[in-house]
Amino acid sequence: MPLQGSIRVPSDKSISHRAVLFSALAEGRSQLRDLLPSDDVLSSLAAVEQLGAVVERSQGANGIDAAITGFGGQPVRGQQLRLDCGNSGTTTRLLMGLVCGLGVDAVLFGDESLSSRPMGRVIEPLSAMGARIEAQGGTLPAHVLPAQAPLSAAHYDSPKASAQVKSAVLLAGLQAGGTTSVTEPAKSRDHTERLLPAFGVPVEVDGLTVSVTGPARLHAHDMSALGDPSSAAFLAVIAAVLEDSELTIESVALNPTRTGAFAVLKRMGADISYANEHLEGAEPVGDVHVVFGPQLKGTVVTPEEIPTLVDEVPVLAIAAAAAQGETVFQGAGELRVKESDRFAAVVEGLAAFGVRAWGEGDDLHIQGTGEPLYLLGDALADEDSLRLPTYHDHRLAMTWYLMGLATEAPVVLDDASCVSVSWPSFYSDIEGLM
C-alpha cells in the first residue's frame, strides 16, 4: 500500500536536548517551542529541574513548549543528586560535561540498555581537564564529584567523530579558564557549535577543530526545534521503495551534518528533492519531497559519511535490500554500541526476510534483491507471523515495522512501544499516510 500526503515529523532530538540543557545553564528565561515529546527529551527536562532550573511546560503545536528559567551556572549544591537519564545517551554524556565543573555532586544512571553503553569516551577527556567522575568499567552509574580545582582548558583529539563527545568537552570548556578545543577525524553533527552563539557564547570553527573560550556565561534564548531529519529518513526510505508513494515531509532540519541518508538515497537513484529552503536561526530547514522512482542501485557508504547517517543505517538497510547489487556501509562499527548492537540486529533481521547481509570487520554488507520487496513477503506467506526482536531499540522497531509494510509480511515486534524514545505517534502517523 503506497504512502501519500504531507506530514511534519517530530522535532529533532539532538536540537531539543541542547536547547533544554543550554537554557538551564543560562541566565534568564528561555522560551522553547516544539521540543520533541519523547522519553529521551523528558529525561533531559527532568534532569535540569533537579539541577535547579525552573521548567514550565505546555502542549505546543508540534510538541512540548517549555519556558525554562536557568540556574545561571549556580546549580543545586550541598546534596547528592540522582539524575535518571533513562535511555538517553545524549542526556548522559552532555550532562557530564555540563556539571563536572559546577561543583555538583551527582550520580547519573539509566536503564539497562543505557547502562551497557560506553561512557569512557567522555570521561577520559573530561578527567584530563580536572573533572572527577567515577564509573566502574566506564559505564553507568557514574558519580560526578565536585572538582578539587577549577577545570583546565584543553585540546582533545577525538579518535572518533562524535557529536556527544565533542559537545561534552565544549560544555566543560565553558567552566574552564582559557580555550578548549576538539579536533575530530571527520565532521560530526554540529548543532552545539551552531546553537551556543545564540546563547551568547562565541564558537570558533576551523576545519575539523571547534573551540570555545571560558569561563563563559550563557544568556536566555527563545527558539523552536525543527523536524528531525533522522525520522524523516525513515519516511523517505519507505516512500522510495513502495510503489506509487509520494510524500512531502515538512520543515525538516537540513543541516549538512544530518542529511547523509538523503544523499545516499539520491545516489542510489531515489527521487528526492528539497523545497522551501530557508534558515531558522543558524539551522537550514526545508521540505523533503520523495516519489517512488525507478530501480534503486547499491552503493558504497564511506567511513566519512557514517557520522552523518549513523542513526539511519537500519532503515537504509531496507533501501539496500530493495536495490540492485551490493551496498556496503564502511566503518560502521559505531552501530555496535548504540541502544543495541544494531550491526548484528540488522544482519539478523534482514536474514529473517530472506535478505543476505553480513559483516566484514566494521563493514556492513547487504546484497540487494533487485526486485520489489513484496516478493519477499510472498515467500513468507505461509508464516503465521514473523516475530522479530527489537532489543528495546526504537530505530529497530521502526525499521522492522516498515520492512513489514514493504514486504507485506506478517511482522510482530516484541516491544513495539519502544518507538516512544523518538517518535511516540509513529504507528498512527504512518497509518494516516496510507
Side-chain angles (χ1 to χ4, degrees):
M1 180 179 293
L3 302 186
Q4 297 181 337
S6 299
I7 186 172
R8 201 277 193 186
V9 292
S11 294
D12 184 73
K13 188 155 57 113
S14 296
I15 295 175
S16 296
H17 279 303
R18 286 160 175 78
V20 169
L21 296 174
F22 297 176
S23 296
L25 188 58
E27 297 175 344
R29 187 173 187 265
S30 300
Q31 182 65 55
L32 309 180
R33 294 175 297 277
D34 300 333
L35 298 175
L36 176 64
S38 74
D39 292 346
D40 278 12
V41 175
L42 293 176
S43 292
S44 284
L45 283 167
V48 300
E49 284 184 294
Q50 282 188 265
L51 287 166
V54 177
V55 180
E56 305 165 55
R57 311 182 203 187
S58 61
Q59 181 60 48
N62 295 296
I64 299 171
D65 287 352
I68 299 181
T69 303
F71 50 75
Q74 299 294 321
V76 172
R77 296 192 183 99
Q79 64 186 69
Q80 186 179 93
L81 304 176
R82 291 187 56 79
L83 305 179
D84 185 354
C85 300
N87 186 245
S88 178
T90 303
T91 301
T92 307
R93 294 182 177 124
L94 268 63
L95 267 182
M96 283 188 189
L98 188 150
V99 304
C100 67
L102 294 177
V104 169
D105 183 345
V107 175
L108 281 62
F109 65 99
D111 65 12
E112 182 178 358
S113 170
L114 183 62
S115 298
S116 68
R117 297 177 67 180
M119 296 298 157
R121 58 179 61 180
V122 173
I123 295 172
E124 178 186 349
L126 295 180
S127 298
M129 298 173 70
R132 298 172 65 205
I133 304 174
E134 299 175 351
Q136 186 173 2
T139 58
L140 295 186
H143 188 186
V144 181
L145 294 155
Q148 294 176 329
L151 297 185
S152 301
H155 173 76
Y156 181 59
D157 284 306
S158 181
K160 291 183 176 290
S162 167
Q164 293 179 4
V165 173
K166 174 176 62 179
S167 299
V169 174
L170 294 177
L171 284 170
L174 300 182
Q175 318 302 325
T179 299
T180 293
S181 58
V182 179
T183 299
E184 299 182 287
K187 183 79 168 177
S188 68
R189 297 178 181 184
D190 64 356
H191 299 301
T192 292
E193 46 266 50
R194 285 176 181 263
L195 191 52
L196 275 178
F199 284 87
V201 178
V203 178
E204 181 178 344
V205 179
D206 181 8
L208 297 175
T209 300
V210 183
S211 306
V212 297
T213 299
R217 299 170 71 175
L218 282 68
H219 60 61
H221 172 63
D222 298 342
M223 60 173 289
S224 299
L226 306 173
D228 180 14
S230 295
S231 295
F234 280 76
L235 292 180
V237 167
I238 196 64
V241 302
L242 277 181
E243 189 173 354
D244 296 328
S245 291
E246 182 172 359
L247 287 181
T248 298
I249 312 164
E250 301 171 341
S251 299
V252 178
L254 297 179
N255 183 314
T257 65
R258 299 292 305 284
T259 55
F262 302 138
V264 167
L265 282 172
K266 287 181 182 181
R267 196 162 73 228
M268 296 176 78
D271 185 351
I272 298 178
S273 59
Y274 299 154
N276 300 322
E277 294 181 73
H278 60 283
L279 287 175
E280 291 277 355
E283 293 280 356
V285 61
D287 300 337
V288 179
H289 188 66
V290 190
V291 182
F292 173 78
Q295 175 70 59
L296 299 180
K297 293 180 171 55
T299 190
V300 174
V301 181
T302 67
E304 291 76 22
E305 291 178 289
I306 291 295
T308 71
L309 51 75
V310 65
D311 287 335
E312 293 84 75
V313 171
V315 75
L316 285 171
I318 296 178
Q324 188 175 62
E326 184 180 318
T327 294
V328 184
F329 297 91
Q330 296 179 335
E334 183 70 11
L335 292 173
R336 303 186 193 278
V337 292
K338 301 299 275 185
E339 285 86 335
S340 67
D341 182 346
R342 289 177 180 167
F343 195 112
V346 166
V347 172
E348 173 189 42
L350 288 178
F353 288 95
V355 177
R356 183 166 176 255
W358 67 98
E360 293 181 5
D362 283 342
D363 296 348
L364 173 62
H365 295 251
I366 299 172
Q367 181 61 53
T369 64
E371 297 179 329
L373 290 178
Y374 66 78
L375 295 177
L376 294 174
D378 290 346
L380 298 167
D382 293 336
E383 301 285 342
D384 291 333
S385 63
L386 191 61
R387 297 185 177 276
L388 294 174
T390 64
Y391 302 102
H392 312 296
D393 187 329
H394 57 129
R395 302 296 184 197
L396 295 177
M398 291 190 287
T399 295
W400 302 136
Y401 174 80
L402 293 178
M403 187 68 168
L405 291 184
T407 59
E408 301 178 6
V411 169
V412 176
L413 303 175
D414 65 348
D415 181 15
S417 66
C418 65
V419 298
S420 63
V421 165
S422 62
W423 194 341
S425 59
F426 174 74
Y427 302 111
S428 60
D429 285 347
I430 297 298
E431 290 172 4
L433 293 169
M434 290 180 182

